[in-house]
Amino acid sequence: MKKAWEDVKSFVTVVMTLGLVALLFVPNLNPPTEIVALYCTSYGSIMTYFFTRIKKESGEDEK
């Protein structure tokens, strides 16, 4: 189960990074400023959650 969560983390990181790059650098894509701000805020929150959570020791039960 733990391995699956690490794969989800990698998948979400790659997909959200590609989405952010598309929003910022695709020339003909011109979304509203509010959408870009919302996406950037969500991106920062999700990346902070994934990369700052404390990993449990292997002997502890997951709930």
Side-chain angles (χ1 to χ4, degrees), residues 25-53:
F25 296 112
V26 173
N28 294 332
L29 187 63
N30 210 0
T33 307
E34 293 83 11
I35 298 297
V36 174
L38 182 61
Y39 191 88
C40 290
T41 303
S42 300
Y43 181 84
S45 299
I46 291 169
M47 295 305 133
T48 300
Y49 171 74
F50 277 145
F51 292 105
T52 61
R53 21 176 224 176

Side-chain angles (χ1 to χ4, degrees), residues 8-32:
V8 169
K9 179 176 108 172
S10 299
F11 177 75
V12 170
T13 301
V14 170
V15 168
M16 292 211 50
T17 301
L18 291 175
L20 184 61
V21 168
L23 276 175
L24 296 176
F25 296 112
V26 173
N28 294 332
L29 187 63
N30 210 0

